[in-house]
Amino acid sequence: MAGNSDYYVEITTRLRAVQLFCDFLSEGGSVRIASTEAAPFIDVTSDLLFRNRAEAERLITLRRQLFPDRANEDVTPPLYNHH
């Protein structure tokens, strides 16, 4: 049973990371790459956003299939409590 729980945590953690990266890109973040050191940078933001949204959907589907009883749990971590 612990193995299943570990896999659930792994999928959920990956899902949250992908969603946060999508949020970053959607809110104005950008990604530019160069094919070589001297080449000009090319903006690949829209491609990465598309791919990561698809990855998030795949992870959501996988989690629903493997863990139907916990598939709709919120993946947002609780905010830290600052004292």
Side-chain angles (χ1 to χ4, degrees):
M1 189 67 165
N4 287 341
S5 180
D6 291 346
Y7 193 49
Y8 175 80
V9 170
E10 180 182 340
I11 292 170
T12 301
T13 301
R14 175 70 182 143
L15 174 59
R16 184 64 186 142
V18 170
Q19 289 175 326
L20 286 171
F21 187 60
C22 288
D23 290 347
F24 165 74
L25 295 177
S26 296
E27 293 174 6
S30 65
V31 178
R32 299 182 311 151
I33 61 170
S35 58
T36 64
E37 193 172 313
F41 284 97
I42 300 168
D43 190 321
V44 294
T45 304
S46 61
D47 291 337
L48 278 178
L49 183 56
F50 177 79
R51 289 179 189 173
N52 278 277
R53 283 181 175 161
E55 175 69 10
E57 289 301 318
R58 282 190 294 273
L59 290 168
I60 289 168
T61 301
L62 178 63
R63 193 169 75 157
R64 281 186 187 137
Q65 290 172 347
L66 297 176
F67 305 98
D69 56 325
R70 299 189 289 176
N72 294 322
E73 289 180 4
D74 186 15
V75 297
T76 305
L79 296 176
Y80 291 105
N81 187 0
H82 299 290
H83 293 286

